[in-house]
Amino acid sequence: DGGITQSPKYLFRKEGQNVTLSCEQNLNHDAMYWYRQDPGQGLRLIYYSQIVNDFQKGDIAEGYSVSREKKESFPLTVTSAQKNPTAFYLCASSIGRGSAYGYTFGSGTRLTVV
Amino acid sequence: AQSVTQLDSHVSVSEGTPVLLRCNYSSSYSPSLFWYVQHPNKGLQLLLKYTSAATLVKGINGFEAEFKKSETSFHLTKPSAHMSDAAEYFCVVSDSNSGYALNFGKGTSLLVTP
């Protein structure tokens, strides 16, 4: 079955360390997105990519980086510059440019800084 | 720029009574509008979406929403609440200006009492 796989489900990071969250999709979707969810804040957009080798900053990109070398993969790196990284991270994909439909969400990664 | 305002952070209803979750949006472009639901420790599920065809949109589990351009509103309703409706609900807007990324409201927590 097609879908989005996020790994790991839970992740612990020491302060000052970079950590990379994985997001893989087999839906043949062109567009991929990273969101951060905090209690009472809804989901906020970190980065998005509409095509391979191209990506744009979302509303809260500071302290994060991404790459899009393959259509199927959109990893997110949480750097030491991110002041408050403890949150729930959701990856999503959609059919592609010119469409807001056909969104699929992964099951998320819960990151905790210890 | 697009934005979404969910007017109530918490709504409490009795089982069997109507549900109204309010949402206002702003968008400089022709928006796409959605309602998503998130049950505790579960992923996001699409309830319904506005496709610019019919202004009254019917979704799953008896929910519906009406797009009112003059009021810039997209309120979610259900005639009779069920205990299983207790969850977090997100109103979402998307337009071409942000690459069709989803812009989430902060959420409304629905409590259903017996």
Side-chain angles (χ1 to χ4, degrees):
Chain A
D1 290 334
I4 294 182
T5 301
Q6 287 188 246
S7 61
K9 188 171 183 178
Y10 298 95
L11 188 58
F12 296 88
R13 188 196 91 175
K14 291 183 179 179
E15 285 196 37
Q17 285 184 337
N18 292 356
V19 64
T20 298
L21 282 60
S22 171
C23 177
E24 303 278 334
Q25 54 103 353
N26 61 1
L27 300 163
N28 200 33
H29 282 174
D30 286 319
M32 296 187 74
Y33 311 83
W34 273 106
Y35 292 88
R36 169 179 171 145
Q37 185 175 18
D38 296 282
Q41 292 291 325
L43 276 69
R44 293 179 289 170
L45 181 65
I46 305 173
Y47 269 98
Y48 65 100
S49 168
Q50 295 178 287
I51 196 169
V52 174
N53 292 322
D54 186 49
F55 48 83
Q56 283 77 41
K57 293 181 179 180
D59 299 321
I60 55 165
E62 184 176 352
Y64 300 97
S65 66
V66 293
S67 63
R68 187 87 186 278
E69 298 176 0
K70 298 187 300 182
K71 187 175 186 178
E72 305 79 28
S73 178
F74 192 42
L76 174 74
T77 297
V78 185
T79 74
S80 57
Q82 169 49 235
K83 300 301 182 191
N84 184 21
T86 295
F88 187 58
Y89 292 86
L90 279 164
C91 178
S93 69
S94 69
I95 293 171
R97 288 179 287 180
S99 173
Y101 308 121
Y103 259 80
T104 300
F105 282 88
S107 56
T109 293
R110 188 166 297 281
L111 173 63
T112 303
V113 174
V114 297
Chain B
Q2 55 175 288
S3 69
V4 174
T5 302
Q6 291 185 241
L7 298 170
D8 306 291
S9 58
H10 295 85
V11 169
S12 180
V13 300
S14 300
E15 189 176 20
T17 64
V19 176
L20 170 64
L21 305 183
R22 299 181 294 165
C23 173
N24 288 121
Y25 72 92
S26 67
S27 174
S28 303
Y29 300 80
S30 297
S32 301
L33 294 160
F34 310 79
W35 276 97
Y36 279 84
V37 61
Q38 187 177 38
H39 288 89
N41 300 315
K42 295 285 182 68
L44 286 164
Q45 182 181 21
L46 178 65
L47 275 178
L48 50 81
K49 59 187 178 186
Y50 167 66
T51 63
S52 76
T55 56
L56 183 61
V57 182
K58 295 187 183 299
I60 61 172
N61 300 334
F63 284 96
E64 62 181 38
E66 186 172 7
F67 174 70
K68 293 187 176 181
K69 187 175 181 179
S70 60
E71 299 176 10
T72 61
S73 69
F74 191 57
H75 301 336
L76 181 70
T77 60
K78 183 174 181 178
S80 176
H82 192 271
M83 295 297 289
S84 61
D85 294 329
E88 189 83 11
Y89 291 80
F90 296 99
C91 182
V92 182
V93 64
S94 177
D95 62 36
S96 60
N97 191 44
S98 63
Y100 295 98
L102 301 181
N103 189 353
F104 284 75
K106 294 187 176 182
T108 297
S109 179
L110 177 64
L111 174 66
V112 182
T113 58

